[in-house]
Amino acid sequence: MKTIKIAHLYPRQMNIYGDWGNIVALQKRLEWRGYKSDYRTVLPGEPYDFSDADIVFGGGGQDKGQLDIAKDLVRNRENIVSASRDGVVFLLVCGLYQLFGNRFITSKEEEIEGLGVFNAETTGSSERLIGNVVVQGSGFELVGFENHSGKTRLSPGQSALGRVMKGYGNNGQDGFEGAVTDNTFGTYLHGSLLPKNPVFADMLLERALERKFGSSDLVDIDDSIAFKAAEVAKERPQ
Ligand code: GLN
């Protein structure tokens, strides 16, 4: 049986608003297509070769959680950056999305060094960007929920994940949501993101399968309930 290896980055410190559900969605969608998944966590201080993973997931956390793992993340910089450049699929939500940028300056003016996978910078604010979000990406639409006070600005040349149709996204001003570089995706959307957005979930799986096995053969599954849930979520007030 073909196996996809999924690594979960700092699940104790970085896992809010149901982010762990993204892993369940990936595992189930693989299993329903006859693939196996191999799940492991990556904890601070633990050595791990990220190029061994097919998909790496990292969720959101409070500023405190981000401060707790920041040193360990930067210690892994070369390893993570080279896996990302090599096409390993990364999905990073909120807190870890911020730390895959160049740096995060918290509202208490603490500077947290980021990995620089995304050419972006986040600054803490006194405003809370909270509520339902709808995003139009290229070939997919996303519905989700955001709750952050950090505002992210992409540098020129850095691609966004999509345009905000409802909600705030990266900063509530420029209309961009998330970032994408190679197969590395950053987003502010919690919710969990992937159970509500099966087209995007399959896009991540296809990228991972193509990279590992040279092709992907994901048979259709009945996503009608997820699509209905997304339609309802889209109509909710912000
Ligand atoms: N602490 C960060 C912020 O508020 C990230 C929050 C989150 O991951 N939801 O901007």
Side-chain angles (χ1 to χ4, degrees), residues 14 16-17 59-63 66 93-96 98 104 122 128 147-151 188 190:
M14 304 298 289
I16 49 175
Y17 309 120
Q62 313 301 343
D63 292 7
Q66 289 171 286
V93 175
C94 203
L96 273 166
Q98 295 173 341
F104 172 33
T122 302
R128 189 140 282 274
N147 186 359
H148 53 110
S149 56
K151 295 186 176 180
Y188 271 109
H190 299 282

Side-chain angles (χ1 to χ4, degrees), residues 27-44:
Q27 288 184 302
K28 283 287 159 195
R29 297 186 76 79
L30 283 166
E31 190 187 301
W32 291 332
R33 271 74 169 251
Y35 290 95
K36 245 182 86 177
S37 65
D38 175 64
Y39 170 79
R40 64 156 293 159
T41 56
V42 182
L43 306 177

Side-chain angles (χ1 to χ4, degrees), residues 40-196:
R40 64 156 293 159
T41 56
V42 182
L43 306 177
E46 238 176 46
Y48 179 60
D49 176 6
F50 285 84
S51 66
D52 188 51
D54 302 306
I55 303 179
V56 179
F57 174 72
Q62 313 301 343
D63 292 7
K64 162 86 174 68
Q66 289 171 286
L67 278 161
D68 287 348
I69 54 98
K71 276 210 177 78
D72 196 72
L73 189 66
V74 168
R75 187 180 56 78
N76 279 299
R77 177 186 274 132
E78 269 178 45
N79 188 340
I80 291 178
V81 169
S82 81
S84 163
R85 292 219 176 107
D86 197 38
V88 171
V89 173
F90 284 75
L91 174 64
L92 308 152
V93 175
C94 203
L96 273 166
Y97 162 43
Q98 295 173 341
L99 296 187
F100 269 59
N102 294 320
R103 61 179 183 155
F104 172 33
I105 299 167
T106 71
S107 49
K108 291 183 188 149
E109 305 212 345
E110 297 143 314
E111 179 175 337
I112 309 182
E113 189 183 348
L115 293 178
V117 171
F118 300 127
N119 198 2
E121 184 164 314
T122 302
T123 315
S125 73
S126 53
E127 200 187 347
R128 189 140 282 274
L129 311 184
I130 182 166
N132 294 312
V133 197
V134 180
V135 173
Q136 186 61 56
S138 138
F140 56 87
E141 190 179 54
L142 300 176
V143 293
F145 169 80
E146 64 185 324
N147 186 359
H148 53 110
S149 56
K151 295 186 176 180
T152 301
R153 301 229 167 243
L154 307 180
S155 299
Q158 172 63 57
S159 304
L161 182 60
R163 304 283 310 185
V164 178
M165 301 288 123
K166 182 194 287 183
Y168 300 97
N170 281 346
N171 51 57
Q173 281 154 347
D174 61 20
F176 290 123
E177 202 312 289
V180 52
T181 297
D182 301 320
N183 287 340
T184 300
F185 300 85
T187 178
Y188 271 109
L189 273 59
H190 299 282
S192 317
L193 174 69
L194 297 183
K196 279 194 211 162

